[in-house]
């Protein structure tokens, strides 16, 4: 049995777990929970490029890459995630998709953690700034035929594609992907208001790391940020690491979208989880990873990727003015789970995909004390106070 406070409702719950499932849920009326851990659904991360030195976009990706990243995320309280493959040649993308799918087929726990794959690019803007760190040589126009090759290579695991709608053939591509059950997101874009409206009308339903992957300077209005914030068809993903979007901007954007249309992602790269220091990247040169998770090109202000776990994004979002811990958990666990069609919540008979942690206003981290994720791996050896 685990006793704790529901991070969204605040209710004191007693959960009985058996064989990886929630056997009983009891609400303890009148109980006080100041010293009890918080209980929340396991986190769901829609954008993970790598972790702990392992990179889904490496030329030598293998099954161990998939296992290692999944294990690392599990320990961080992530119950499900989308491995993210970025702009590259068709051969490279298909190889990564095939390796991820092959690893997933071999282990039930891995299949549970990876409900699909996110392909970010290559159908993005070729412009500097909007393109971000994606290689210009492999940026190309949307191709329905290539998308079908991705589906074949992955065994129909491609569940999310990020593209720029201001590209030739974007409308037809979005409709093609949506008809095959794939979600479409706007990102790495130089699109105008009309392009964004067209994409949303065609079936695009998300904005990838809104506030990033755009030109450094924009017209005051109209521009693609206002257009995406105003479009009620689009749910927005945000990197809440304190570096990609500053606190005030993140606060304003999430207020504009509302908790119900906002999601948190980590967008972690391979250097996430590594010790602070200086590293040499195969492409792009030397980067510096700071103790606070900022990853930037050495001697420059340019970010070189994200390195902050999603759980820390929850802590940051919960500290913003006008937002609560329940809001942050909703944006990092409930909303992305719903987007992928995953069940979530404390219900008898459901998988025990929840986390227990301590957190107080001002804390920069969720202090996980137990992950009870029904994924077949041993649960964390740490014990939960309040048992």
């Amino acid at each position: 049995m685990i006793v704790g406070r529901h991070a969204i409702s605040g209710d004191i719950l007693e959960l009985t777990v058996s064989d990886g499932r929630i056997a009983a849920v009891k609400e303890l009326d009148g109980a006080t929970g100041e010293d009890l851990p918080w209980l929340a659904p396991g986190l769901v991360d829609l954008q993970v490029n790598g972790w702990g030195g392992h990179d889904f976009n490496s030329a030598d990706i293998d099954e161990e890459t998939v296992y290692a990243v999944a294990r690392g995320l599990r320990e961080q309280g992530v119950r499900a995630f989308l491995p993210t493959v970025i702009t590259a040649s068709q051969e490279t993308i298909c190889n990564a998709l095939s390796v991820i799918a092959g690893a997933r087929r071999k282990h039930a726990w891995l299949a549970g953690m990876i409900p699909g794959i996110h392909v970010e690019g290559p159908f993005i803007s070729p412009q500097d700034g909007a393109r971000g760190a994606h290689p210009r040589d492999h940026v190309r126009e949307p191709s329905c035929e290539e998308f079908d090759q991705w589906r074949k290579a992955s065994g129909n695991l491609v569940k999310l594609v990020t593209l720029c709608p201001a590209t030739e053939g974007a409308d037809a591509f979005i409709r093609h992907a949506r008809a095959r059950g794939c979600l479409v997101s706007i990102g790495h874009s130089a699109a105008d208001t009309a392009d964004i409206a067209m994409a949303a009308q065609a079936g695009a339903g998300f904005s990838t790391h809104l506030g990033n992957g755009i030109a450094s300077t924009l017209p005051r209005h109209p521009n693609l940020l206002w257009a995406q914030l105003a479009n009620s068809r689009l749910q927005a993903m945000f990197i809440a690491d304190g570096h990609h979007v500053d606190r005030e901007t993140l606060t304003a954007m999430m207020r504009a979208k509302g908790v119900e249309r906002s999601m948190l992602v980590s967008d972690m790269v391979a250097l996430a989880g590594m010790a602070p220091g200086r590293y040499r990247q195969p492409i792009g040169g030397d980067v510096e990873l700071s103790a606070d998770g900022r990853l930037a090109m050495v001697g420059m202000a340019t970010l070189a990727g994200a390195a902050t776990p999603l759980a820390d994004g929850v802590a940051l979002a919960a500290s913003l003015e006008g937002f609560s811990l329940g809001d942050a958990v909703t944006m990092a666990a409930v909303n992305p789970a719903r987007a992928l069609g995953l069940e979530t919540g404390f219900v008898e008979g459901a998988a025990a995909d929840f986390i227990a942690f301590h957190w107080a206003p001002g804390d920069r981290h969720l202090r996980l004390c137990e992950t009870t994720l029904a994924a077949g791996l041993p649960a964390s050896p740490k014990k939960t106070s309040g048992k």
Side-chain angles (χ1 to χ4, degrees):
M1 288 191 300
I2 298 175
V3 176
R5 295 174 286 174
H6 194 308
I8 298 176
S9 69
D11 296 333
I12 307 299
L13 301 180
E14 178 184 270
L15 305 178
T16 303
V17 176
S18 178
D19 295 327
R21 309 201 76 80
I22 299 175
V25 180
K26 181 179 180 181
E27 186 173 331
L28 302 181
D29 295 329
T32 59
E34 292 184 1
D35 297 327
L36 295 176
W38 294 101
L39 301 176
L43 308 181
V44 178
D45 199 336
L46 301 183
Q47 192 166 11
V48 179
N49 304 282
W51 178 85
H54 301 275
D55 190 350
F56 292 125
N57 296 284
S58 174
D60 60 355
I61 179 176
D62 57 17
E63 292 181 358
E64 180 54 34
T65 300
V66 186
Y67 303 151
V69 175
R71 290 190 191 104
L73 293 180
R74 179 186 168 88
E75 293 174 357
Q76 298 165 23
V78 174
R79 61 171 282 211
F81 72 103
L82 299 186
T84 301
V85 179
I86 69 166
T87 300
S89 68
Q90 181 174 346
E91 180 183 6
T92 298
I93 291 175
C94 285
N95 177 63
L97 297 175
S98 178
V99 171
I100 295 167
R104 182 182 179 275
R105 283 193 297 268
K106 291 183 179 180
H107 299 280
W109 70 269
L110 203 56
M113 284 198 73
I114 302 178
I117 301 172
H118 178 178
V119 180
E120 184 189 1
F123 312 137
I124 58 173
S125 172
Q127 297 182 17
D128 291 344
R131 191 180 71 254
H134 291 234
R136 173 66 182 84
D137 291 346
H138 292 301
V139 173
R140 48 195 181 271
E141 293 181 350
S143 166
C144 296
E145 292 180 357
E146 182 169 349
F147 173 79
D148 291 341
Q149 289 299 312
W150 297 348
R151 294 181 74 227
K152 182 178 180 181
S154 69
N156 298 332
L157 271 181
V158 177
K159 298 298 184 186
L160 176 65
V161 173
T162 291
L163 56 66
C164 170
T167 51
E168 188 69 28
D171 188 342
F173 179 90
I174 293 169
R175 295 180 188 279
H176 182 83
R178 291 296 297 123
R180 286 150 184 81
C182 180
L183 304 173
V184 179
S185 186
I186 297 170
H188 288 283
S189 173
D192 60 23
T193 300
D195 295 323
I196 291 165
M198 174 279 295
Q201 183 67 35
F206 303 86
S207 298
T208 295
H209 50 48
L210 191 59
N212 300 110
I214 57 175
S216 57
T217 58
L218 296 170
R220 287 179 300 171
H221 48 76
N223 65 46
L224 77 172
L225 288 178
W226 300 124
Q228 290 177 84
L229 287 170
N231 195 309
S232 60
R233 296 176 183 264
L234 300 174
Q235 299 181 66
M237 306 177 215
F238 299 103
I239 305 173
D241 64 355
H243 308 299
H244 279 75
V245 184
D246 65 89
R247 292 175 62 93
E248 290 74 22
T249 302
L250 181 60
T251 300
M253 285 184 166
M254 293 197 309
R255 283 178 181 171
K257 267 300 170 191
V259 172
E260 70 280 2
R261 290 193 181 93
S262 297
M263 291 182 285
L264 305 182
V265 297
S266 71
D267 199 14
M268 289 193 300
V269 298
L271 288 177
M274 304 290 281
R278 186 167 176 164
Y279 293 87
R280 170 63 58 87
Q281 293 193 133
I283 300 176
D286 289 354
V287 297
E288 187 81 24
L289 177 61
S290 67
D292 65 354
R294 187 175 189 274
L295 181 63
M297 303 300 297
V298 170
M300 302 172 62
T302 305
L303 294 174
T308 301
L310 183 56
D312 286 1
V314 172
L316 186 147
S319 72
L320 299 178
E321 183 180 352
F323 293 92
S324 66
L325 176 62
D327 293 334
V329 168
T330 297
M331 292 186 286
V334 178
N335 292 349
R338 287 175 178 166
L340 295 176
L342 304 177
E343 294 183 355
T344 187
F346 300 106
V347 180
E348 290 183 10
D353 288 336
F354 64 86
I355 56 176
F357 60 92
H358 291 281
W359 178 85
D363 289 351
R364 292 178 54 194
H365 310 282
L366 303 186
R367 289 169 283 129
L368 291 173
C369 47
E370 183 159 333
T371 61
T372 309
L373 304 180
L377 286 179
S380 169
K382 299 178 183 179
K383 301 299 181 182
T384 304
S385 61
K387 275 191 174 182

